[in-house]
Amino acid sequence: LRVGIVGLGLIGGSFAKTLKKYDLASEIIGYDHNEDHQEEAMKLGIVDSIAKNTRELLGLDLIVLAIPVDAIISFLPNLVNIADDSVIMDFGSTKELISKAIPEKIRKNFILAHPMAGKEKFGPSAAVDDLYESMVVVLCDTHLNNPKALNKVETIFSTIDMRIVKMDAHEHDIHACYMSHLPHAISFALANCVMNHEDPKSIVALAAGGFRDMSRIAKSSPNMWSDIFKQNRENMLESIGIYESQIKKIKSFIENEDYDQMKEWMKKANRLHELI
Amino acid sequence: LRVGIVGLGLIGGSFAKTLKKYDLASEIIGYDHNEDHQEEAMKLGIVDSIAKNTRELLGLDLIVLAIPVDAIISFLPNLVNIADDSVIMDFGSTKELISKAIPEKIRKNFILAHPMAGKEKFGPSAAVDDLYESMVVVLCDTHLNNPKALNKVETIFSTIDMRIVKMDAHEHDIHACYMSHLPHAISFALANCVMNHEDPKSIVALAAGGFRDMSRIAKSSPNMWSDIFKQNRENMLESIGIYESQIKKIKSFIENEDYDQMKEWMKKANRLHELI
């Protein structure tokens, strides 16, 4: 396969490295508007060459969009003239708006994929060749795809040891909200609580595993995450509302010294781990 | 040293294992009101014997209270007749109420210690011999201690590679609230959000690193944590209030589509990691 990777950060870079590891690509061509990223990706051997313009991508077998979700939508017009058997795949964390924005002409060739993997670091230097192994990838609205195109990406994901889950884009955005977008909002909020304290440094000196885990994803990229919150706006507002009512609950248990009810509430939270 | 460990769960069991690993105890005697824990701790070699009653602890060189914070306070009357050079140390996660509850007669012998370490599992089988290595231990109100007693525990903590931080009990409880108690409340709330959804199982099927990290401590013991929230009630209410205002912020950024302000808010959160 000749593969184009648009966006050479953690997500795109790690996918390129994974394709090489499993010998799935004969050639990988990178595209990134950030010249430092272009240079870094070449130096790190993530890609074989850098495309100078988007036309160079049109004849490739597979084009992967690993850029922020708003950028994916703006990028689509560049791809309307791909070859008939080219496959495009986006790795965005939201799906419904992207699904609606895909031009009719390339709809069959366009696979909506969300690999449920990531870490808080970003840029080409953060890319690793085992980010995706054993993780879930969600494919959305696949009934709209050319079966041959779908088969091509399913084979890739199976080969790199990912578990494929299919659902429609609307459902995906709700699920991803609870499993990823809401947790990020919560982590940013906790980090800002501490940063607004009069002496964050002396507080953070006591950080142990609990706080480290809860604040880790507050390191994530503001550009990427503000786009995600924007595209998943309705679900975010709803889930934050539901979350706020849970925070009100624990607050009122403490306020009213209702510790028996609080323990029941905690036991219910414990049960999450029968599912995970 | 002949050491008594009251409470043979994760915290006490791990301390016993650590003392053995560093050859710091000639004999370790366990005490636990839970007979299953007694048996398990003996079977796992965590302790050398089990005390039948609290009088057997009074002549030991060091007595460690590794039980929930309310239980620590109820246990204190059992210890008023310790030998003059016995040292008592509690490992509670809150300190101010315990500090105030220590009987005058043993105040000099009583070290308030909070090892900032833990994990979400509990019971003797969760105990490990490296839980405390390279972690912080906070010692509180040490001006009230006999210098010899203080020196004894400082030597132990240094030997097992812990970093000692000293502060007064009131300050400790505020710091511990932000670094540990509030994050636990947040994690329980997030877990309950998901558990209240109509189909938690299918949502959790998409869980990746972010959600796993954010929900890990929602596995924690309800008995232990309801005691902590109770003893740190004022600080919890204040910090939850501050946290709620951060959640309101992200909600209103999304509601008002104020994504530039949101990015600034996220960048501020990112800066936490210059401190951690």
Side-chain angles (χ1 to χ4, degrees), chain A:
Chain A
L1 289 183
R2 295 180 67 229
V3 181
I5 307 272
V6 178
L8 299 172
L10 166 72
I11 297 300
S14 294
F15 192 65
K17 283 190 156 189
T18 305
L19 291 176
K20 292 204 168 180
K21 179 178 177 181
Y22 286 90
D23 216 7
L24 285 164
S26 56
E27 187 183 355
I28 298 182
I29 299 161
Y31 184 87
D32 199 305
H33 64 254
N34 179 329
E35 287 182 17
D36 291 343
H37 282 191
Q38 294 177 9
E39 222 172 279
E40 222 179 316
M42 281 300 290
K43 205 178 289 174
L44 293 166
I46 290 171
V47 295
D48 299 311
S49 64
I50 298 289
K52 294 275 170 288
N53 58 61
T54 57
R55 283 188 310 280
E56 295 179 33
L57 303 170
L58 300 180
L60 300 176
D61 300 307
L62 175 65
I63 302 161
V64 179
L65 305 180
I67 50 183
V69 286
D70 271 16
I72 290 171
I73 292 178
S74 334
F75 199 83
L76 295 173
N78 297 320
L79 299 174
V80 286
N81 294 318
I82 50 161
D84 277 355
D85 55 356
S86 282
V87 176
I88 308 164
M89 173 161 68
D90 86 293
F91 276 2
S93 297
T94 55
K95 287 287 168 261
E96 196 167 7
L97 290 185
I98 294 172
S99 187
K100 287 177 180 161
I102 303 169
E104 188 48 38
K105 203 182 157 202
I106 54 171
R107 187 61 193 87
K108 286 192 166 184
N109 308 58
F110 198 107
I111 313 281
L112 293 158
H114 182 195
M116 303 299 294
K119 45 180 191 169
E120 69 285 6
K121 292 175 184 155
F122 41 99
S125 61
V128 290
D129 68 6
D130 60 355
L131 186 68
Y132 300 112
E133 281 167 7
S134 82
M135 306 304 271
V136 166
V137 57
V138 185
L139 304 183
C140 294
D141 298 345
T142 51
H143 59 285
L144 300 174
N145 290 127
N146 175 337
K148 230 177 99 183
L150 182 61
N151 187 50
K152 196 192 269 184
V153 306
E154 287 187 331
T155 303
I156 294 174
F157 287 129
S158 301
T159 306
I160 68 175
D161 198 24
M162 294 194 81
R163 286 179 295 132
I164 297 168
V165 173
K166 291 176 187 174
M167 57 179 75
D168 72 56
H170 176 76
E171 197 189 347
H172 165 275
D173 283 6
I174 296 172
H175 284 49
C177 186
Y178 280 98
M179 285 301 102
S180 172
H181 310 168
L182 177 64
H184 276 79
I186 291 173
S187 189
F188 283 124
L190 175 61
N192 269 322
C193 262
V194 172
M195 291 309 284
N196 282 337
H197 194 272
E198 53 180 19
D199 187 7
K201 205 173 165 179
S202 82
I203 285 189
V204 165
L206 301 194
F211 183 75
R212 281 177 202 275
D213 277 0
M214 298 294 288
S215 67
R216 184 180 61 81
I217 54 180
K219 281 187 214 173
S220 302
S221 156
N223 287 329
M224 174 177 161
W225 282 94
S226 61
D227 269 16
I228 291 170
F229 293 171
K230 184 177 162 190
Q231 286 209 13
N232 209 8
R233 183 168 176 270
E234 296 304 319
N235 294 319
M236 280 302 285
L237 290 176
E238 193 185 329
S239 71
I240 292 174
I242 291 168
Y243 177 70
E244 276 179 320
S245 70
Q246 291 296 332
I247 292 290
K248 270 203 191 75
K249 260 193 185 169
I250 169 82
K251 195 177 166 193
S252 78
F253 292 145
I254 297 174
E255 227 156 26
N256 306 327
E257 310 215 47
D258 192 351
Y259 300 114
D260 287 335
Q261 282 244 53
M262 182 161 77
K263 273 185 229 178
E264 290 311 310
W265 180 81
M266 289 170 167
K267 277 179 197 163
K268 187 167 186 183
N270 284 170
R271 282 204 294 274
L272 170 71
H273 296 279
E274 296 162 13
L275 303 178
I276 203 167

Side-chain angles (χ1 to χ4, degrees), chain B residues 192-231:
Chain B
N192 269 322
C193 262
V194 172
M195 292 308 285
N196 282 337
H197 194 274
E198 52 179 18
D199 187 6
K201 205 172 165 181
S202 83
I203 286 190
V204 164
L206 301 193
F211 182 76
R212 280 177 202 277
D213 277 2
M214 298 295 289
S215 67
R216 184 180 60 81
I217 53 179
K219 282 185 213 174
S220 303
S221 156
N223 287 330
M224 173 176 163
W225 283 94
S226 61
D227 270 16
I228 291 170
F229 292 171
K230 183 178 164 189
Q231 286 210 11

Side-chain angles (χ1 to χ4, degrees), chain B residues 224-242:
Chain B
M224 173 176 163
W225 283 94
S226 61
D227 270 16
I228 291 170
F229 292 171
K230 183 178 164 189
Q231 286 210 11
N232 209 7
R233 184 168 175 270
E234 297 303 320
N235 294 318
M236 280 303 284
L237 290 175
E238 193 185 330
S239 70
I240 292 174
I242 291 168

